[in-house]
Amino acid sequence: MATDDLIARLARDLKPVPRSSVAKRVAIGLGLGFAASWLLMVWWLGMRPDLMEASATMPFWGKLAYTLLLAVIGAWAVKRIAYPLGSIVINLILMAVALFAFGILAAGIFAMAPPQDHYGMLTGKSIAVCTFNIVLLSMPLLIAAFWVLRGLAPTRLTSAGAAAGIAAGAIGSVIYSFHCTESAMPFVAIWYTLGVLIPGLIGAVAGRFFLRW
Amino acid sequence: MHSVETRLKELMLASLAGDARSYAVLLNDVAKHLRVYFLRRLAESHKADADDLVQDTLMALHAKRATYEIDRPFTAWLHAIARYKLIDHFRRNKLRITVPLDDAEDLIPVDYSDVAANRMDVESLLQSVPEKSRELIYRTKIEGQSIAEVATSTGLSESAVKVGIHRGIKAIAAKLKGRAHGNG
């Protein structure tokens, strides 16, 4: 009977599995994706020339903290959805809270600013490219996150794709913040956030097709 | 039920540590459960796919074994994989999904070697038991209350509850013996 042969073959092929191998795969995959996206940013867009001066200012750290927080939530979501019956509800709630809190903060700053600054706070100098650049920078990360999940066992493929996309978009926007010179919180709250959500949407749609196992 | 989970989980833990013999035993056991699971859920015209699904699921178990978390029940993990494979099979073949969103328990039936016994109508058996014992058996064995809980709610002492249950079970046993003889 073929099943018996298969069982014998699988038993011969057995190797011990270390306990942390899922976390390791997530870390390796997203790490490689990060390296690829970082190189793409440096080669294609270049680091912001005023990085030294900027790193002494609040907006730089605010932007970094916001995108890093989303990146951690996203990477954790990838790990959680990688198990059969895994779910990302907690991660989506945390993300909603983060978006909401940052949105309130940005709205407050916007409201307190003099009206003649309002337009500039929303459009900056790079409105036409910001979200687009983040989405492009997150593509190597999205591929890496899909590779991570294909080796594991997500049973909800749309959620799995969304988790991969959110992680990719958030890590991509961390990387982009080393190029981008925008400092207005309202700008970040809109266009960076979109740069996280759009890859999330792409991932959710692609998940059903590319994450099957 | 619990013994199946305990046994399979022990085998799985040994397998994750690299014990090929435990692994072969585990896969053999799992294959049997899976066959029953898939056969029950495939339409008459697709029963032939059961073996493919079993093998597919075994290969998935192998490839994805790192995603088994050792502090979770093994049967629940296995069931999630089997169910995923079944739904994937339906999708691929563009079949309407009519699988109930079942629980992990469905994968490991209590005793599928004796299906007739499972079908025996418990309620009708209980009818043959004196009413006082019937109530006690129903609460402890079917609803799963503890002896102490039943004792408090009925106002009986714990030993009285135990005696009542014992008498009822004896009556059921007598009835079952009678049936077996009567039906040849």
Side-chain angles (χ1 to χ4, degrees):
Chain A
M1 191 181 146
T3 303
D4 290 339
D5 296 339
L6 175 70
I7 290 173
R9 192 161 63 76
L10 294 180
R12 262 199 311 279
D13 186 45
L14 183 72
K15 285 179 201 69
V17 176
R19 279 190 63 173
S20 56
S21 53
V22 171
K24 207 188 274 174
R25 186 179 175 93
V26 174
I28 289 175
L30 294 184
L32 288 175
F34 181 91
S37 287
W38 182 268
L39 289 176
L40 179 64
M41 183 275 284
V42 171
W43 167 77
W44 170 43
L45 299 166
M47 294 269 250
R48 63 188 288 181
D50 61 344
L51 185 64
M52 273 316 189
E53 302 93 84
S55 65
T57 65
M58 264 311 286
F60 176 82
W61 291 105
K63 201 161 64 166
L64 193 61
Y66 177 58
T67 51
L68 263 180
L69 177 65
L70 295 182
V72 169
I73 294 171
W76 185 40
V78 170
K79 176 165 186 283
R80 292 192 66 227
I81 199 67
Y83 298 91
L85 299 182
S87 147
I88 55 167
V89 173
I90 295 173
N91 305 75
L92 292 179
I93 291 173
L94 286 177
M95 200 172 103
V97 170
L99 296 194
F100 185 73
F102 197 79
I104 292 278
L105 216 60
I109 288 178
F110 185 78
M112 285 189 302
Q116 65 269 24
D117 290 355
H118 280 174
Y119 185 71
M121 282 184 132
L122 293 179
T123 59
K125 300 167 289 286
S126 58
I127 180 177
V129 292
C130 173
T131 300
F132 175 78
N133 285 353
I134 293 176
V135 172
L136 257 184
L137 277 181
S138 66
M139 285 303 119
L141 279 153
L142 187 65
I143 293 167
F146 269 39
W147 170 82
V148 167
L149 287 171
R150 282 183 63 93
L152 299 169
T155 50
R156 298 185 175 106
L157 301 187
T158 303
S159 299
I166 288 167
I171 300 173
S173 54
V174 169
I175 294 172
Y176 186 67
S177 74
F178 284 85
H179 159 77
C180 161
T181 54
E182 303 288 353
S183 57
M185 286 247 288
F187 181 93
V188 175
I190 298 171
W191 307 112
Y192 271 58
T193 304
L194 268 181
V196 177
L197 295 181
I198 290 174
L201 203 65
I202 296 174
V205 173
R208 298 184 61 113
F209 302 100
F210 295 105
L211 292 177
R212 281 172 72 173
W213 47 274
Chain B
M1 185 78 218
H2 283 290
S3 63
V4 175
E5 163 63 29
T6 315
R7 178 185 142 77
L8 293 182
K9 184 166 180 169
E10 270 170 21
L11 289 170
M12 183 63 177
L13 294 182
S15 308
L16 287 175
D19 178 357
R21 195 174 301 176
S22 295
Y23 194 45
V25 175
L26 174 73
L27 292 180
N28 263 308
D29 260 35
V30 165
K32 277 184 209 131
H33 287 301
L34 288 175
R35 245 185 88 76
V36 175
Y37 175 80
F38 288 130
L39 279 174
R40 277 191 185 168
R41 280 161 183 79
L42 290 168
E44 216 40 65
S45 51
H46 283 79
K47 297 274 187 216
D49 297 336
D51 275 327
D52 283 349
L53 273 167
V54 169
Q55 295 190 7
D56 232 26
T57 310
L58 290 179
M59 282 191 280
L61 182 159
H62 184 73
K64 315 285 186 184
R65 63 191 190 280
T67 65
Y68 172 62
E69 296 167 285
I70 60 175
D71 50 352
R72 302 272 177 103
F74 173 76
T75 44
W77 178 77
L78 176 66
H79 174 259
I81 290 180
R83 186 162 164 271
Y84 174 83
K85 283 294 175 192
L86 184 64
I87 292 173
D88 189 58
H89 170 82
F90 287 142
R91 277 207 193 110
R92 243 195 333 242
N93 295 289
K94 305 242 187 303
L95 299 171
R96 273 250 315 274
I97 298 180
T98 51
V99 215
L101 300 183
D102 47 15
D103 297 319
E105 284 90 65
D106 296 1
L107 183 58
I108 312 290
V110 178
D111 183 5
Y112 55 82
S113 61
D114 192 355
V115 181
N118 280 346
R119 289 211 186 122
M120 210 167 295
D121 193 353
V122 178
E123 298 282 343
S124 90
L125 261 180
L126 276 176
Q127 288 309 314
S128 63
V129 177
E131 201 187 341
K132 211 170 126 196
S133 300
R134 188 196 308 161
E135 163 95 68
L136 298 174
I137 290 179
Y138 194 85
R139 289 204 190 180
T140 50
K141 304 295 177 195
I142 296 178
E143 291 185 343
Q145 298 185 26
S146 70
I147 303 269
E149 280 174 313
V150 176
T152 352
S153 63
T154 55
L156 295 168
S157 70
E158 288 200 18
S159 54
V161 172
K162 282 185 202 159
V163 169
I165 293 169
H166 180 69
R167 279 194 191 136
I169 287 178
K170 249 173 122 176
I172 292 176
K175 167 122 187 188
L176 280 175
K177 260 186 207 154
R179 247 195 215 179
H181 289 305
N183 297 344

